[in-house]
């Protein structure tokens, strides 16, 4: 949910002061009634009117992309293919980044309030499916749980490893250092063969999405992210 004045701003009715003035002067209707509270919380079910024009009450875009290999998480690059090329909504940014050869769940949005979810102190789980080059062990799991050191002197937060079989596991982290999971495995004298993100907080990768395809988040999925960000 967003404040009414913020929704007006997104609909290009002016800056903060101008939008609050429109509301104060009784020029905005919500669900058919004049609304003078600039901080009224607006949901996507609310109908907002200005001069007999219906405004967009869901001012932000929230997208789930199943990222394929070979794309970088950027909006523009002269040499590389960018994930923004895979969607029509060009005003979005990546909510967290995946390496060029990493696949799976990538969220894109134009809601800047969600950037708080990327801060490690806010403890947002990111789960990856990992294929390792060498056999995994219980000791590896214990080292991850204590917090492994990468690049000789960079301490990672404790991470969770759930071993599936000798070479496959799930890894859960709450931060996003550069090439972090690959470097974590290098610190185990192992290597990552393939890496796929399958969840971000409570949002799971839609198994029906083929690589390179995307869909908009459902109302329930959007609300989970917005609620989490509001708690940060």
């Amino acid at each position: 949910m967003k404040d009414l004045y913020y929704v007006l701003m997104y609909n290009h009715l002016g800056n903060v002061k101008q939008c609050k003035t429109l509301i104060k002067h009784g020029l905005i209707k919500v669900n058919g009634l004049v609304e003078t509270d600039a901080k009224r919380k607006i949901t996507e079910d609310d109908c907002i009117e200005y001069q007999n024009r219906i405004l967009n009450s869901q001012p932000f875009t929230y997208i789930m992309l199943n990222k394929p290999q070979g794309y970088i998480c950027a909006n523009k690059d002269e040499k590389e293919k960018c994930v923004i090329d895979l969607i029509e909504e060009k005003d979005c940014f990546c909510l967290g980044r995946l390496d060029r050869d990493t696949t799976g769940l990538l969220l894109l949005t134009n809601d800047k309030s969600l950037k708080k979810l990327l801060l490690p102190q806010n403890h947002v789980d990111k789960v990856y499916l990992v294929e390792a080059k060498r056999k995994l062990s219980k000791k590896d799991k214990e080292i991850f749980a204590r917090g492994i050191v990468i690049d000789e002197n960079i301490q990672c937060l404790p991470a969770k490893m759930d071993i599936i079989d000798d070479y496959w596991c799930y890894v859960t982290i709450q931060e996003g250092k550069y090439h972090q999971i690959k470097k974590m495995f290098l610190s185990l004298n192992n290597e990552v063969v393939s890496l796929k993100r399958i969840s971000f907080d409570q949002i799971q990768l839609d198994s029906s999405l083929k690589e390179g395809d995307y869909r908009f988040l459902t109302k329930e999925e959007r609300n989970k992210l917005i609620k989490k960000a509001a708690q940060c």
Side-chain angles (χ1 to χ4, degrees):
M1 293 188 294
K2 299 295 179 182
D3 292 343
L4 176 57
Y5 79 89
Y6 199 97
V7 175
L8 300 189
M9 288 173 58
Y10 192 84
N11 280 271
H12 309 294
L13 295 188
N15 57 30
V16 174
K17 183 177 180 180
Q18 291 168 333
C19 289
K20 286 186 175 181
T21 298
L22 291 176
I23 298 168
K24 181 180 179 180
H25 290 171
L27 299 177
I28 305 298
K29 290 183 179 180
V30 178
N31 301 327
L33 301 175
V34 172
E35 179 58 68
T36 57
D37 181 2
K39 292 191 175 182
R40 169 169 174 170
K41 298 299 181 183
I42 299 299
T43 72
E44 62 183 288
D45 297 322
D46 289 321
C47 178
I48 306 171
E49 296 178 62
Y50 172 65
Q51 295 182 341
N52 297 318
R53 177 164 66 96
I54 303 298
L55 305 181
N56 181 7
S57 60
Q58 178 57 53
F60 297 112
T61 300
Y62 304 89
I63 287 173
M64 173 189 296
L65 169 71
N66 188 354
K67 179 188 172 297
Q69 287 188 342
Y71 286 80
I72 64 170
C73 291
N75 286 41
K76 185 178 181 181
D77 191 276
E78 294 182 358
K79 297 181 180 179
E80 300 279 0
K81 294 184 292 184
C82 301
V83 292
I84 201 71
D85 299 328
L86 297 171
I87 66 174
E88 294 183 8
E89 294 70 21
K90 304 303 181 183
D91 64 335
C92 291
F93 60 88
C94 299
L95 192 61
R97 296 178 180 273
L98 296 177
D99 298 338
R100 185 178 183 276
D101 56 350
T102 300
T103 64
L105 176 63
L106 181 65
L107 300 177
L108 298 102
T109 184
N110 51 9
D111 185 350
K112 294 182 180 180
S113 70
L114 297 188
K115 286 187 175 182
K116 293 185 290 184
L117 298 176
L118 303 178
L119 300 175
Q121 63 265 33
N122 289 328
H123 306 294
V124 174
D125 285 343
K126 278 87 70 175
V127 182
Y128 295 80
L129 176 63
V130 184
E131 179 187 5
K133 185 175 182 179
R134 299 178 182 85
K135 286 187 177 182
L136 302 168
S137 69
K138 183 178 179 180
K139 183 179 179 181
D140 296 334
K141 181 176 181 177
E142 293 170 349
I143 293 173
F144 271 25
R146 291 197 298 267
I148 196 168
V149 175
I150 61 175
D151 291 335
E152 297 184 353
N153 60 358
I154 297 178
Q155 179 70 53
C156 293
L157 293 175
K160 182 180 180 183
M161 176 189 287
D162 293 308
I163 297 175
I164 302 170
D165 59 27
D166 285 346
Y167 298 97
W168 289 86
C169 67
Y170 294 112
V171 174
T172 304
I173 60 175
Q174 293 185 335
E175 52 189 340
K177 294 181 172 64
Y178 183 66
H179 292 325
Q180 180 173 339
I181 291 182
K182 294 176 181 177
K183 291 180 178 180
M184 290 168 69
F185 275 79
L186 286 175
S187 293
L188 294 175
N189 295 315
N190 206 335
E191 295 179 41
V192 170
V193 175
S194 67
L195 184 61
K196 179 179 183 178
R197 183 156 68 190
I198 59 173
S199 72
F200 181 99
D201 194 45
Q202 300 179 65
I203 309 301
Q204 304 289 325
L205 177 63
D206 188 333
S207 60
S208 69
L209 282 179
K210 297 179 181 179
E211 287 191 5
D213 288 347
Y214 73 97
R215 68 166 173 80
F216 294 100
L217 295 190
T218 65
K219 179 179 179 180
E220 181 181 4
E221 289 169 335
R222 292 196 303 269
N223 288 342
K224 286 179 179 178
L225 289 176
I226 293 169
K227 182 178 179 181
K228 179 71 174 182
Q231 294 171 343
C232 294

